[in-house]
Amino acid sequence: MAYTFKGYLRSDGSAGTRNNIGIISSVICSSTVTNEIANRVDDAVPIIHSNGCAQLGDDFKVTKSMLSGVAENPNFHSNLLIGLGCETNQVSGLLDAIPQTKPIEGFSIQQMAGGANTVAKGVTIAAEWSEKIAQEKREELPLSKLKVGVITVDVDERTLKAAAPVVSALISVLLKEDSTVVCSLTKSLEPCGDLLAEKTENMNAREELWELSYGLNRRRWESNEAYGFSAYSEREKKIALEESNLLGSNQLQTLLDINEKPLDKGLYLLKSSGNLVETLSNFVSAGCNVALILSKEGVLATSNVIPCISLAPQNDGQTTRDYVDFYIDHQDAMTQTKVLLEKLIQVSSGELTALEEYELGEFAIPHIGTTF
Amino acid sequence: MTKFNGYRRSDGSVGVRNHVIVINTVGELSALARKIASLVPGVIPVIHHGGVAQFPEDYVQTLRTLIGTAGHPNVSAALVLGEEDDEIAKAIAVKLKEKNKPVRTICLNNNQTIPGLLKEGKEWLENALVKSKREIRQECDITELIVGLECGGSDAWSGITANPSIGTFSDMIVKEGGTSVLAETTEAIGAEHILASNAINREVGREFLDIVRNYDYRIKQTGEDIRSANPTPGNMAGGLTTLEEKSLGCIKKGGSTPLKEVISYADRPSEKGFVFMDTPGYDVESVCGLAAGGAQVVLFSTGKGSPTGSPIVPVIKIGTNPKVYEIMSEHIDINAGKIIDQNKNITDIGTEIFDKVIDVSNGEQTAAENQLNQEFAIWRLAESI
Amino acid sequence: MEISYNALKLNPDDNVAVALQRIGKSEAVLINNSEIELVALEEIPYGHKIALRTIIENDDITKYGECMGKATKEIPAGSHVHVHNVRGLNEMERAVVINHVMEP
């Protein structure tokens, strides 16, 4: 039987699990105005962050590609870009970078001669889009339209052991349904990069995964090159092995860089950090329309663009937390996988997750270098 | 000696505001901190996404900034949201208790529900707000004031009108025994020899040259060249010709007083006088560092018009030209453009700034405060782990 | 308010002044606190610099009483001073200036 969910079909063939308007700040300097516009319009989501100016090289590229990726996310029906005017990350540059597949406008506070004018114009434009949204209805769509993020944060061996049978089975079902699945590659999984390399045919990804397995390697402030690298311990390798079990025996398409979108169906890894909000935002810009977050005991932040189902293992004698959507217990994995899939379909069709109910959505852009 | 009415804290520091704030320790708690703050009108959220997945260089800087912010003399009371056994929350609480400042940490544990957390936070904040209203302003000396000096959205007039006027103010406050802190290391590249040769001794001059050289080096590491990127095409259209000219205009904010000390980001000056803080040219991160280092007021010159403020310190905006003052009036406090079209000179505007700083220290609201501009960002150094 | 000058000399040592309004070709240049008699040889845009005396090639351009660059050709008094006739200091010149600060 082919599963379906109810979503919003976009003109480029992608599907939204939510139908919102992105009010996107190009730089921190326009964040207050951006927030104000979003507060005054139904369905509007503020995309505010602390980047956008005094950035150079790759660090700036990450900011720009993240914001254009977020605008492209199928959960946004339309986008309004708000800048200050004198920032590095110009609204005009973003407008050029974002494919014109849905309504989009952008302007700056300096261009509009002040915040009050900017808010007034922004609210007028976004309110019109909001009226259109009110007319749109969800339609029955195949699961192949789902791009599911699987994010691990702060996981331990016990959590991974409990979750692997259910999560890997869910991934297998989704792949069978032709969905796209994107899993986070954080420093907890990197130590077994050598084993993950065997799962892909992509030669670049194989090489990179091998390299990542040697040790933690990030760009650091100190200029000494050796300072950026530290080898992984046996213990870290052991936990990584447990984490790799989440993928089951499925083949990997390739390894995606920050903000890189999967070009095809199948299973992908996405380079991620241990900073939950930055990582969630990275999944949004990669085009995921729903996600699962696996943690020890639940998390307290979600994305403000895509619904995230919070998974945690159920322990004996533990109080259930009201912000965990799905507890994995000792029951038969098949049964639990079915229930989890059902939950995924419901949430993708509009059911709010616990963290959505509490309105705990956030957005943040990772830094890969310093500001100047 | 010039006096103002401020809030005297039990550690001897003096605040010019009496804020009750909510601050999160790690990025994951940003949403909850925002939510709790929104439950009690008048409470200010101080939100960031760091504190987690950071190398020591970032972690230490984040911690120092958070402690400096929560423990700031402009803050009456702070609610700290942390995770279970949160080291950052503990460190903030210890520091604030040392200062006898009301602080409450809520760290998540197994038995809490979100409604429970919200209720607990709301009740404490309501109480803290009532208590803060009972605190009254007392007469304080200008020697207790630390004023940060910043520029953002600069234009060709910045170095001619607003920045030299800020420089006049800086000389005035230091002469009266107060402190001014110049920032933005990036913007000194090309004019570093002026500040260095104006340092009180060779060690301070050397320290200053070192931080500038490090910046220059880091910029080259990214594959960019500060000299080819500056002045920007916009700067050039406005009349700026060379990087040296632009930087000479930036450091004008420091006036002519000898440089007494060079301090790290978010560090507190150890002496009164004219001080330099190592911050990036990125306005919000720089203002954040100045505030965390104890500045109670920040002066901010702007040519293009920038609305940004700070959650805890009043930021006074000084427009560099008549046009920006006219079209962005809701975001600007002082019009240094009067030097261009109204026969005013730098001393006139410097004096106007001085008077404004005293008025604002007495409680007058700035444009950024009126517009609720409370941007907060900690200077990031390395990649997230 | 009527303003009695149209260009600002920021330091007594400066050899350039900043135009407080657009100054047309052949228009008189009136400097604050100065008796210099000068006529603009070409249009000086708002906020741009004008040479107060003839600056020979490779001489310092002095603004704020400090060197902000070098003349790349001779600049006659009353000329527009900008990127077409001024360059910033090169690495070697910068090093000399900075090392000079640290000399005892």
Side-chain angles (χ1 to χ4, degrees), chain A residues 44-91:
Chain A
V45 175
I47 299 296
I48 57 175
H49 53 87
S50 45
N51 300 28
C53 201
Q55 293 180 277
L56 295 171
D58 293 342
D59 187 50
F60 172 59
K61 283 185 198 144
V62 165
T63 292
K64 191 174 173 185
S65 64
M66 170 145 291
L67 290 175
S68 63
V70 168
E72 286 175 66
N73 189 286
N75 281 7
F76 281 146
H77 157 277
S78 42
N79 293 290
L80 179 62
L81 309 180
I82 302 292
L84 173 60
C86 55
E87 67 273 24
T88 315
N89 189 30
Q90 288 283 304
V91 165

Side-chain angles (χ1 to χ4, degrees), chain A residues 27-32 35 48 50-54 56-58 84 86 109-110 113-117 153-154 187 216-223 227-228 258 272-278 297-301 318-319 321-323 355 357-372, chain B residues 27-32 34-35 47 49-53 55-57 83-84 108-115 117-118 152-154 186 215 217-219 221-222 224 229 278 280-285 302 304-308 327-328 330-331 371-385:
Chain A
V27 62
I28 190 170
C29 309
S30 48
S31 54
T32 302
N35 222 6
I48 57 175
S50 45
N51 300 28
C53 201
L56 295 171
D58 293 342
L84 173 60
C86 55
I109 296 171
Q110 285 163 2
N117 295 341
V153 55
D154 200 18
K187 83 170 202 318
L216 183 68
N217 196 0
R218 300 285 192 276
R219 293 179 219 213
R220 297 194 62 174
W221 173 245
E222 275 67 15
S223 36
Y227 198 65
I258 304 177
S272 310
S273 79
N275 183 317
L276 175 66
V277 181
E278 287 179 0
E297 298 166 311
V299 294
L300 279 158
Q318 173 203 47
T319 344
R321 294 185 166 193
D322 57 345
Y323 46 89
L355 293 167
E357 293 266 16
Y358 286 121
E359 298 173 308
L360 295 178
E362 280 284 315
F363 178 81
I365 305 178
H367 265 296
I368 58 167
T370 188
T371 38
F372 290 94
Chain B
E28 195 189 314
L29 298 171
S30 51
L32 202 61
R34 230 186 272 279
K35 179 114 182 170
I47 308 295
H49 288 106
V52 66
F55 281 112
E57 56 266 36
E83 295 182 306
E84 201 165 1
L108 300 176
N109 63 53
N110 266 323
N111 306 316
Q112 276 152 328
T113 60
I114 290 179
L117 281 170
L118 296 177
S154 298
T186 333
Y215 252 88
Y217 171 77
R218 290 205 164 84
I219 289 170
Q221 293 286 96
T222 68
E224 306 276 335
D278 183 17
Y282 193 27
D283 314 334
V284 179
E285 290 181 349
T302 182
K304 303 276 168 54
S306 170
T308 57
I327 67 167
M328 299 279 268
E330 75 207 76
H331 303 298
Q371 302 287 335
L372 295 177
N373 279 101
Q374 299 167 345
E375 294 80 1
F376 182 81
I378 302 168
W379 181 21
R380 286 292 301 272
L381 303 175
E383 185 173 354
S384 304
I385 310 172

Side-chain angles (χ1 to χ4, degrees), chain B residues 147-202:
Chain B
V147 179
L149 314 176
E150 175 72 28
C151 56
S154 298
D155 70 352
W157 293 108
S158 300
I160 298 163
T161 60
N163 291 353
S165 304
I166 292 176
T168 300
F169 161 83
S170 175
D171 291 343
M172 286 167 82
I173 189 174
V174 172
K175 204 169 162 197
E176 288 213 34
T179 303
S180 67
V181 188
L182 183 63
E184 302 184 287
T185 314
T186 333
E187 319 241 315
I189 299 174
E192 64 269 45
H193 58 286
I194 314 267
L195 273 176
S197 60
N198 201 21
I200 50 158
N201 58 42
R202 285 165 59 88

Side-chain angles (χ1 to χ4, degrees), chain B residues 190 192-193 227 244, chain C residues 89-98:
Chain B
E192 64 269 45
H193 58 286
R227 275 156 228 280
E244 285 78 12
Chain C
L89 301 190
N90 60 35
E91 292 284 331
M92 237 167 62
E93 290 162 339
R94 296 276 325 131
V96 171
V97 171
I98 289 167

